[in-house]
Amino acid sequence: MIVMEHFLSGAAKLGIELNTQQLNQFQVYYHKLIEYNQRINLTSITDYKEVQLKHFLDSLTVVLAFKQTGLNGNLSIIDIGSGAGFPGLPLKIAFPNVKLVLLEATRKKADFLTNLIHTLNLDYVESLTGRAEEIAHQSKYRQRFFIVLSRAVATLPTLAELTLPFSTIGGRTIIQKKGDIADELKDSAKAIELLGGSQPEIRKIIIPELDDNLYLVTIDKLFPTPAKYPRRPGIPIKRPIV
Ligand code: SAH
């Protein structure tokens, strides 16, 4: 018997209903995560319930910032610095029709993702090893995504440079943040404008199953990103645009 009641009730509050196949996929995801985590450092959260809430449910909250409810079309999504797949992969399980790229700099983690995608039998999802600073200059990926996601990768001024170049004009970048973000927000205004983004919109996530200090920072892409951005690997984190 699969017991995922808190995850299920949280997902329902996001308007997401999961069928048996999808719940099975989350089960497999959990077990693979724990298995690989003994060899490579994927997460410090390993408790069954905690993974369901702090990884799976937390990932699904990004739907609160989508332009349209539900993800029935074949929207293209990229997850920057995906690590063990968050938030991209839970979203792909919940909305199997989306096209997803998981971008991850560490090969071992990307290999975990490749293996997991295969085991879950998912289509239209690519695990890509590389750095955002480089991949964002390839025409196959530059300004090609309707939704750009990122969780727990860097501070906002840096993240703006690592994410916005991937977004199409009219697309949306959704960044998951925790805690006090006032200073980061202030510091990111210049970078976001320079990179072609709108003024950010902030949503607080109010789901009783999750912590109460979680936010979604949403930036719409208004203008093309100037060709020189992102700068060389490491520069966006060392010298953020401020
Ligand atoms: N998003 C996941 C992982 C966060 S840890 C989660 O929320 O659980 C940050 C991850 O981003 C690490 O796996 C790191 O390898 C990756 N990363 C950091 N900088 C990156 C860059 N410039 N390009 C691609 N991946 C990057």
Side-chain angles (χ1 to χ4, degrees), residues 55 79-87 103-106 109 130-133 150-153 162:
H55 284 325
D79 179 5
I80 307 298
S82 192
F86 309 121
L103 175 61
E104 171 51 48
T106 305
K109 295 184 185 180
R131 298 202 52 135
E133 294 94 322
S150 194
R151 184 183 90 158
V153 172
L162 298 181

Side-chain angles (χ1 to χ4, degrees), residues 36-155:
Y36 272 70
N37 204 41
Q38 324 218 325
R39 282 179 279 135
I40 56 175
N41 186 16
L42 292 170
T43 179
S44 58
I45 298 170
T46 54
D47 174 73
Y48 183 57
K49 182 179 169 191
E50 295 236 310
V51 169
Q52 286 177 50
L53 299 181
K54 296 189 175 175
H55 284 325
F56 297 162
L57 182 61
D58 184 79
S59 294
L60 296 181
T61 61
V62 298
V63 299
L64 296 171
F66 285 168
K67 280 184 184 170
Q68 63 269 65
T69 45
L71 271 183
N72 28 29
N74 53 354
L75 279 181
S76 56
I77 301 182
I78 190 166
D79 179 5
I80 307 298
S82 192
F86 309 121
L89 211 45
L91 216 59
K92 173 70 186 171
I93 294 173
F95 302 98
N97 292 332
V98 302
K99 285 190 187 147
L100 174 68
V101 175
L102 302 168
L103 175 61
E104 171 51 48
T106 305
R107 179 165 302 277
K108 280 183 183 170
K109 295 184 185 180
D111 287 347
F112 163 74
L113 293 171
T114 304
N115 182 293
L116 183 59
I117 290 163
H118 186 74
T119 308
L120 293 175
N121 214 355
L122 294 168
D123 293 327
Y124 304 110
V125 45
E126 177 188 2
S127 161
L128 181 63
T129 312
R131 298 202 52 135
E133 294 94 322
E134 292 172 330
I135 302 294
H137 287 285
Q138 298 181 7
S139 63
K140 185 177 169 196
Y141 300 102
R142 188 174 184 85
Q143 297 188 149
R144 296 280 181 188
F145 296 89
F146 196 70
I147 296 175
V148 183
L149 302 173
S150 194
R151 184 183 90 158
V153 172
T155 57

